[in-house]
Amino acid sequence: MRLAELVVAIILGAFSCYLMYKSGAPAWPGEPWFENIWYIPGEGPGGGFWPFWLSGIMLLCCVWTVANWVQRKTPPSRSGEPFLDAYSIRMMAFVGGGVAAFIYLSDLISMYIAMMLFLIYYLKFLGRHPWPLTIAVSIAMPVFMFFFFDVAMTLPLPKGTNEVEALLFEPLYDIFL
């Protein structure tokens, strides 16, 4: 457990640094680095504002975790127990497999149908929730996400093949857009 806490903090810290660097990259050639991480008067936050500062906060948390690890202030930093037991490894494989299937299916059958299938798998088969709750959440969440991304924000998510888009989404576009 002790080693895992340190390794995860270092990996997340390195990832934070990478995201901060990429967030400060110029949007157009010739622009100075880290110009878009500030609040721009009359426009609002630059394109890299939120990713940069959230990554900076994540980096500070990683530094804090390493400092606590060195001083052995937290229970995980003093623990000699294994990081993952057999049950945790099995559950990680089930959840990771479900997420991998969700990502794979998103491009084939649409993000929304893949989300519905993932929620059914996760809620009913992994979480053992009752069917009424599973069906309600599995339908409500993709519908909410469709209205939020595709209708309100006009940011379309993957719709799958042309047949799926024509059957399910074009009638909705005719109504709302």
Side-chain angles (χ1 to χ4, degrees), residues 13 15-16 18 22 36 42 46 69 79 83 91 100 102 106 109-110 131 137 139 153 156 165 168 174:
F15 187 59
S16 298
Y18 170 76
K22 290 299 283 183
N36 63 345
W69 182 87
S79 176
F83 178 59
M91 288 308 295
F102 166 69
S106 293
I109 61 173
S110 90
W131 275 112
V137 171
I139 291 173
M153 295 185 66
E165 184 172 11
L168 296 176
D174 291 341

Side-chain angles (χ1 to χ4, degrees), residues 4 26 31 35 86-87 122 126 136 148 155:
E31 286 185 357
E35 183 176 276
Y87 175 77
Y122 194 86
L126 293 183
F148 183 74
L155 293 170

Side-chain angles (χ1 to χ4, degrees), residues 19 70 79 91 95-96 99 125-126 131 158 173 175:
L19 288 175
V70 169
S79 176
M91 288 308 295
V95 173
V99 170
F125 299 107
L126 293 183
W131 275 112
Y173 285 142
I175 294 170

Side-chain angles (χ1 to χ4, degrees), residues 83-95:
F83 178 59
L84 294 171
D85 59 4
Y87 175 77
S88 300
I89 291 171
R90 192 173 86 235
M91 288 308 295
M92 192 170 73
F94 285 143
V95 173

Side-chain angles (χ1 to χ4, degrees), residues 2 21-22 57 73 77 91-92 119 135 143 154 165:
R2 179 169 160 72
Y21 173 77
K22 290 299 283 183
I57 291 168
K73 284 187 172 181
S77 66
M91 288 308 295
M92 192 170 73
L119 287 169
I135 297 302
V143 168
T154 63
E165 184 172 11

Side-chain angles (χ1 to χ4, degrees), residues 100-122:
F102 166 69
I103 293 169
Y104 176 74
L105 290 173
S106 293
D107 199 38
L108 295 177
I109 61 173
S110 90
M111 177 73 78
Y112 305 107
I113 296 172
M115 184 186 313
M116 182 179 66
L117 294 175
F118 175 76
L119 287 169
I120 290 170
Y121 166 73
Y122 194 86

